[in-house]
Amino acid sequence: MASTFLLFQAAAVTSLVGMTLGWRGVMTKYSGFYDLPTAWSNVFWGILVGGVYASTSHNFILLPYLEFIADDANAVVNPINLLFVCLATSVAAHLLLRRERVRSGSSHPTSGWALGLAIGAMVGMIHLYRVFEIYDSLLSLKLWVTVAGFAIFAPRTEALICCFHGQLMLQGRRWGAVLRSTFWRCAYLVMFAYAVVDPLAWVFIIPFALLVNRRADEWIWDSIPSESKKRLRKMWARQVREQRESLQQAHESE
């Protein structure tokens, strides 16, 4: 469809837009009431871990799958590779979320969300590059459905996985956090590879992501200190009163 450089640029920009949307959807709601420097630190580490994760998943999972679809070659994805890649990433995320600066503030869910957004953006970028490479025309509806799906849900699904991982760590379930994260990563990585060639995969990906997304606010809320929760409730109550007063003034002026 275009040169390699332009395809990579398009994939990178689209992934960053999705990462920004994921940040604004959750983290901005509680802005000022969690450890923001630690969260941004995990964005940096997420880019590094996500780069390795995206590269290995492309070489051992996505590329063999695409080769198999293209010409029925004997390049079937090895489930051991899938398990190893996802397990290694889950262990890396676990080690990052058990650092002292994260544990001291009990900011595992918020740090996990930031970490996951960066990891997911890297995964989405690699998959989007292959998507742009496959389609020959920008007028294809399937192309734009696939691009929108990866832009929005690749960062968000990883953010949900890492946020849930952090929530389980707050509950002291360390091995459970690693194993559950590995399971969900395996499931989503398989579906993402399928989504590159068939947009029907989003019928399975999106509903599960939206269902789990409802729990994200609860996980983030658990990581906020008690005093901050009190101030946040007061702030929300004040905002509600101000909205009511503004509506009353608007009605009276009419």
Side-chain angles (χ1 to χ4, degrees):
M1 190 170 72
S3 67
T4 300
F5 176 74
L6 290 177
L7 294 180
F8 179 79
Q9 288 291 95
V13 170
T14 306
S15 298
L16 290 176
V17 170
M19 180 178 170
T20 303
L21 292 175
W23 185 278
R24 291 179 61 85
V26 175
M27 300 294 275
T28 53
K29 181 178 180 180
Y30 302 98
S31 180
F33 295 92
Y34 60 87
D35 190 353
L36 184 59
T38 300
W40 275 111
S41 170
N42 280 280
V43 169
F44 168 75
W45 286 109
I47 292 173
L48 295 181
V49 173
V52 177
Y53 177 43
S55 177
T56 53
S57 64
H58 170 269
N59 293 335
F60 294 109
I61 297 165
L62 179 59
L63 194 57
Y65 177 73
L66 294 178
E67 291 175 353
F68 175 76
I69 294 296
D71 55 3
D72 292 332
N74 295 323
V76 181
V77 177
N78 188 340
I80 301 299
N81 291 339
L82 174 66
L83 181 62
F84 175 77
V85 169
C86 295
L87 179 61
T89 305
S90 298
V91 171
H94 185 83
L95 294 176
L96 289 171
L97 293 178
R98 70 185 301 272
R99 291 180 299 162
E100 180 61 30
R101 63 185 303 179
V102 177
R103 288 184 294 172
S104 61
S106 298
S107 59
H108 298 80
T110 52
S111 296
W113 187 272
L115 177 67
L117 281 177
I119 294 175
M122 296 297 102
V123 174
M125 181 177 65
I126 293 296
H127 285 73
L128 280 172
Y129 174 79
R130 286 299 178 184
V131 170
F132 289 137
E133 198 175 43
I134 290 173
Y135 288 87
D136 296 325
S137 173
L138 290 174
L139 301 178
S140 173
L141 178 61
K142 289 184 177 181
L143 170 63
W144 290 108
V145 169
T146 305
V147 169
F150 275 113
I152 297 172
F153 289 99
R156 186 167 292 269
T157 51
E158 272 295 333
L160 289 169
I161 292 172
C162 289
C163 186
F164 183 50
H165 191 131
Q167 172 68 7
L168 291 176
M169 291 180 70
L170 278 180
Q171 299 174 357
R173 301 164 66 178
R174 298 178 180 178
W175 284 107
V178 173
L179 294 177
R180 292 190 183 192
S181 295
T182 301
F183 170 79
W184 286 111
R185 277 196 177 88
C186 288
Y188 274 113
L189 208 54
V190 169
M191 293 308 299
F192 282 158
Y194 177 41
V196 170
V197 295
D198 192 347
L200 182 63
W202 299 110
V203 175
F204 303 97
I205 296 173
I206 294 175
F208 284 102
L210 294 179
L211 286 173
V212 179
N213 192 69
R214 297 179 179 180
R215 301 292 304 278
D217 283 335
E218 299 177 12
W219 301 334
I220 299 294
W221 182 258
D222 289 341
S223 67
I224 297 176
S226 299
E227 291 298 323
S228 297
K229 288 179 180 178
K230 293 179 182 178
R231 290 189 286 114
L232 191 55
R233 290 192 186 100
K234 292 179 180 179
M235 185 186 74
W236 286 344
R238 185 173 64 253
Q239 290 176 350
V240 171
R241 288 196 301 269
E242 291 175 353
Q243 290 177 357
R244 289 177 180 175
E245 292 174 357
S246 63
L247 287 175
Q248 289 177 356
Q249 291 175 359
H251 289 306
E252 291 174 357
S253 63
E254 292 177 358

